Amino acid sequence: SMELGAIAAGFDHSKASELYDFGRLLGLSFQIQDDWLDAFGDPELTGKKPGGDVSRKKKTLIYLEAMEVMPGEVRTKLESLFHENKPMADDDVDWVLQQFREYDIHKKVSSQVERKMDEALDHLGRAAIPERLAEELRSFAEAIVFRSY
């Protein structure tokens, strides 16, 4: 949709392409941050109990990162919990979240958000659009990604 907006605004193909990449990476950053907040966010700020994605067995980037770094026995249990054909018990959700913290998954995923955002902002810079518009898009991007709720 960023590309379509750029085309509608009369920007050339090069600018529209850079804005497309900005939007794509912004969307990824937003989603990863949303998943991070679901697992590690402060319930007072998010208004939700941590672990909603875990209890629904959503295989987010957090889950994928965990599967890469957890040792065999822990990884096997995690995989089993996510593949069981029954709802995940609250105690199991708590165990999964504890494993995510113990293996620093929150740090790895937070780094991914920052890297994707840096890439997005690089594309925004390369789009060479008017500075006022670029600053508005930058501020918007930072507000929706670097949030605590």
Side-chain angles (χ1 to χ4, degrees), residues 13-40:
H13 175 73
S14 174
K15 289 180 182 183
S17 179
E18 292 293 349
L19 288 171
Y20 167 82
D21 287 332
F22 165 72
R24 181 180 56 79
L25 290 161
L26 175 59
L28 285 171
S29 300
F30 176 87
Q31 185 59 57
I32 297 167
Q33 179 68 7
D34 194 62
D35 295 343
W36 188 96
L37 288 169
D38 180 82
F40 308 112

Side-chain angles (χ1 to χ4, degrees), residues 79-94:
E79 197 171 29
S80 174
L81 287 170
F82 272 75
H83 285 94
E84 286 180 341
N85 200 14
K86 64 178 185 171
M88 195 177 297
D90 288 346
D91 287 347
D92 290 332
V93 171
D94 292 342

Side-chain angles (χ1 to χ4, degrees), residues 62-72 74-75 99-100 102-105 108:
I62 295 169
Y63 171 85
L64 297 174
E65 288 284 344
M67 292 300 288
E68 285 188 22
V69 301
M70 290 180 168
V74 177
R75 185 176 52 246
Q99 299 310 304
F100 287 168
E102 187 172 318
Y103 290 95
D104 289 332
I105 304 305
K108 292 177 185 307

Side-chain angles (χ1 to χ4, degrees), residues 53-79:
D53 289 343
V54 170
S55 70
R56 288 187 300 280
K57 302 179 182 187
K58 287 179 71 179
K59 293 180 180 153
T60 64
L61 181 64
I62 295 169
Y63 171 85
L64 297 174
E65 288 284 344
M67 292 300 288
E68 285 188 22
V69 301
M70 290 180 168
E73 188 176 299
V74 177
R75 185 176 52 246
T76 299
K77 181 174 179 181
L78 178 66
E79 197 171 29

